[in-house]
Amino acid sequence: MVKVGFYQGCCFQGQDAHMFETMKETFRRIDVELELLEETTCCGGNTIDEENRKLSYAINARNIALAEAKGLDMLVSCNTCYMVIAKAKLALDRDEELRREINNLLKEEGLEYKGTSKIYHLLDFFRDVVGYEKIRKAVKRPLKGWKVAAYYGCHVLYPKEVAIDNSDNPSSLQEVLKALGAEVIDDYEHKDSCCGYHSFFTDKSMTLKKLNKILGSVKKVGADIVATPCPLCFKSFDIYQTNMEKPPMVPSSFLPELMAYAFGLDRKSSGLAHHLVKVEKE
Amino acid sequence: METVKLEVFRYDPEKDKAPYFKEYEVPVEGTLLNALLYIKDNLDPTLAFRAFCRSEVCGSCSMKVNGKTKLACKTPMRELYETWKGKPLKIEPLNHMKVIKDLVVDIDKPIEKMKTLIPWLVPDPRVVPTDPMHESIIYPEEMKAYKDQIHCMLCFSCYSACEAVEDNERYRGPFAFSKAYRFQVDRRDIETAKEKRIRYAISGGLWSCVQCQKCLYVCPKGVKPAEDIQNLRGQAVRKGFTDKPGAKKLKHFVDWIYATGQINRLYLPEEVYGNREAREKLTKAYESMGVEVWEVPKPTKGLMKFRDIYLEILSREEKALELDFSHVRKIDKLVSDVFKADICTIVDKVHQKEEKTKGLIGRLKELFGGSDG
Ligand code: SF4
Ligand code: SF4
Ligand code: FES
């Protein structure tokens, strides 16, 4: 059993409050114990940086320090949280003055950012810590005949300093999907276009154009579903898609849901039954 | 000698009806620029591409390799060979610009777009001596604010890779915003010019950036346009341009994160677009699927101390928005209505009395139990 500190960000609230239990169970089956880092807060969503960048660094120094206090590495299950936290870590590790200033504030809470915990995203955690073989062995309901379009999302590939895979030609998502028994489609026109999640509340038209391109090209290659390791890309695909004038109604999923389903959880507890764009594939 | 196939985009608008690709076998050594020079010297002198300095200075040799923007003189063939596992490399001209010939594109459009953001110093006579015999001094400390931006060599890699340029014709381009920001933080630049730049930036698509970070990834010079765009957005809001959705989104983040440690995606449509229905519709849709929806995030144990840190930083730093305490109080009330206690009590006790959560976990355990195997 590997134990890792789990950072949940804003993704496991609202209608997704149940998702942490799903994640915990899914990870238990690949011998990983998720310890919820309960006192962590939102990473600032790459938006607090507009207010003040140091605030973003401080929030995330605190988040990381909470994992360090438990002596655990940190697993982040959202591309954007991952990018924001990893960038903060880089800044803190490089800039002693910044570290000192922020640690002075964290002291009040009895916390200290030391730089001892590693930050993982799902994909590098599966590749480097769990191993694909273990995932393959946990599969009880192989996704046989599922044509799954692999969609990474931007913030695990860009910028380079925090990328968890080869940014130009990544493979870690395909490997997980293959281990689940799916037929992977990783060659479609807009696989590298941004999902537009972050512009939905700054310039909505951008989001809708992006979705049109990505989901249109997914449809064209005949995939049953899009799988992404980012809960925000997933929200963009599942929820914002319904804001399109003519939604192509392409089903999507957050990678751990597909894993849960392949590991034997039913459609409800895996989360697959709770999408606005219904997942028909059995 | 190890070789790899290059499929090079060819197009001469004066002669060819349509673009086509031509294949060349080149050695896997040196840089991509070396490979192109190899073609020109040994295989096909008609191939057109731009390159000058061969050392990442002039910014003229940017192009696409299998769809990814690369600076040819900085990109080792070995690296490309390994990334693409020996498969052919498709070499194409940059996106979003007219092709003049083969890999040579017309850069006038991005240059013109950049100029609309006043990417030059408009001297403030109170700071910059008008007498040319007097020096205008910049201290090293001041230069820190724009030390990265000044390295931009106008290679247009970021313009080619940009998701916002792709879908918004007006979008000025990542580099253009970095150029503008560089003067926004220059003490010598006059306030009226700064104000204008912000207005032009907003009409030039400042809020259309999707924050994909591709500009950071492709920039050979370590410029970080996406971060400069965040900085410019902050300046815009600080200068009072608060009517745009993006400014309201920022307000949501600033107030909600302070109040609860989280944003609240259910309330975003309402607070940004005035769309109350969205929350109700979404909640209903999920509840009809049997999903329990939490209207507010659960306040965490360290919340009060978190608030202290948050406030402390904001009190010290230049910021876009002031915390709106009347908004915070409204949020507090939403939270205490759900948890039936005032916010401080919840923060202390929430861990002992998570009835709702227990119900959820219990139900999920049942589900898991029933589905296993
Ligand atoms: S982060 Fe913004 S400016 Fe940079 S490439 Fe993406 S959309 Fe363009
Ligand atoms: S910002 Fe970087 S990528 Fe963009 S034009 Fe300047 S040097 Fe090139
Ligand atoms: S040849 Fe000058 S930058 Fe590449």
Side-chain angles (χ1 to χ4, degrees), chain A residues 105 140 154:
Chain A
L105 292 171
K140 292 187 174 148
C154 301

Side-chain angles (χ1 to χ4, degrees), chain B residues 185-222:
Chain B
V185 287
D186 194 319
R187 190 176 58 94
R188 301 165 302 165
D189 191 78
I190 195 162
E191 195 48 44
T192 48
K194 294 194 205 294
E195 176 94 13
K196 260 195 206 156
R197 262 185 223 108
I198 288 293
R199 256 189 287 124
Y200 297 161
I202 292 173
S203 59
L206 183 62
W207 291 106
S208 297
C209 165
V210 295
Q211 285 293 318
C212 65
Q213 311 288 317
K214 286 183 181 174
C215 48
L216 269 70
Y217 177 66
V218 300
C219 179
K221 288 288 164 188

Side-chain angles (χ1 to χ4, degrees), chain A residues 46-281:
Chain A
N46 194 42
T47 297
I48 282 298
D49 307 66
E50 293 168 10
E51 170 77 347
N52 178 272
R53 203 170 297 282
K54 205 177 274 173
L55 180 59
S56 174
Y57 290 154
I59 289 176
N60 291 305
R62 181 180 172 278
N63 284 334
I64 300 170
L66 284 161
E68 291 182 350
K70 293 188 169 186
L72 295 173
D73 285 336
M74 189 179 200
L75 174 64
V76 184
S77 70
C78 164
N79 285 19
T80 299
C81 301
Y82 166 77
M83 187 270 288
V84 170
I85 296 175
K87 264 192 185 181
K89 183 172 168 58
L90 273 179
L92 289 158
D93 289 345
R94 279 178 190 161
D95 185 344
E96 206 186 317
E97 205 176 305
L98 176 72
R99 208 164 55 231
R100 200 175 317 121
E101 183 184 348
I102 289 175
N103 272 335
N104 261 330
L105 292 171
L106 296 184
K107 229 190 287 167
E108 199 199 325
E109 234 184 311
L111 290 172
E112 186 189 357
Y113 173 86
K114 297 195 200 81
T116 48
S117 286
K118 204 173 145 36
I119 316 293
Y120 288 104
H121 175 264
L122 293 174
L123 290 179
D124 54 339
F125 190 76
F126 291 146
R127 181 191 58 213
D128 302 339
V129 180
V130 177
Y132 301 129
E133 188 51 28
K134 194 164 265 172
I135 296 177
R136 209 176 51 76
K137 281 195 182 133
V139 172
K140 292 187 174 148
R141 186 195 286 129
L143 302 179
K144 240 178 90 189
W146 287 57
K147 287 191 204 138
V148 183
Y151 180 86
Y152 281 84
C154 301
H155 294 161
V156 282
L157 302 178
Y158 320 111
K160 196 178 188 75
E161 291 79 3
V162 302
I164 50 106
D165 204 333
N166 182 312
S167 308
D168 290 338
N169 191 17
S171 58
S172 50
L173 175 56
Q174 292 94 313
E175 291 300 330
V176 176
L177 292 171
K178 269 189 238 159
L180 302 180
E183 184 185 318
V184 185
I185 302 183
D186 62 359
D187 195 11
Y188 53 99
E189 193 186 350
H190 289 288
K191 63 177 178 193
D192 194 39
S193 293
C194 166
C195 76
Y197 179 88
H198 291 289
S199 62
F200 194 76
F201 293 106
T202 66
D203 180 354
K204 198 190 267 183
S205 68
M206 289 296 294
T207 313
L208 301 180
K209 282 181 200 162
K210 297 292 171 203
L211 289 174
N212 200 23
K213 283 185 174 165
I214 299 168
L215 299 172
S217 75
V218 164
K219 206 167 184 173
K220 218 155 127 197
V221 291
D224 298 310
I225 191 166
V226 194
T228 170
C230 175
L232 303 184
C233 298
F234 167 58
K235 291 290 160 207
S236 194
F237 294 155
D238 194 48
I239 299 179
Y240 298 161
Q241 178 177 186
T242 61
N243 283 267
M244 293 167 71
E245 217 169 282
K246 282 194 219 121
M249 297 310 267
V250 174
S252 56
S253 73
F254 177 40
L255 180 66
E257 295 180 328
L258 277 187
M259 297 175 73
Y261 187 61
F263 290 175
L265 272 63
D266 66 16
R267 293 179 84 85
K268 270 200 165 140
S269 38
S270 66
L272 279 184
H274 304 146
H275 295 188
L276 297 187
V277 181
K278 295 280 167 259
V279 181
E280 309 282 0
K281 188 81 188 164

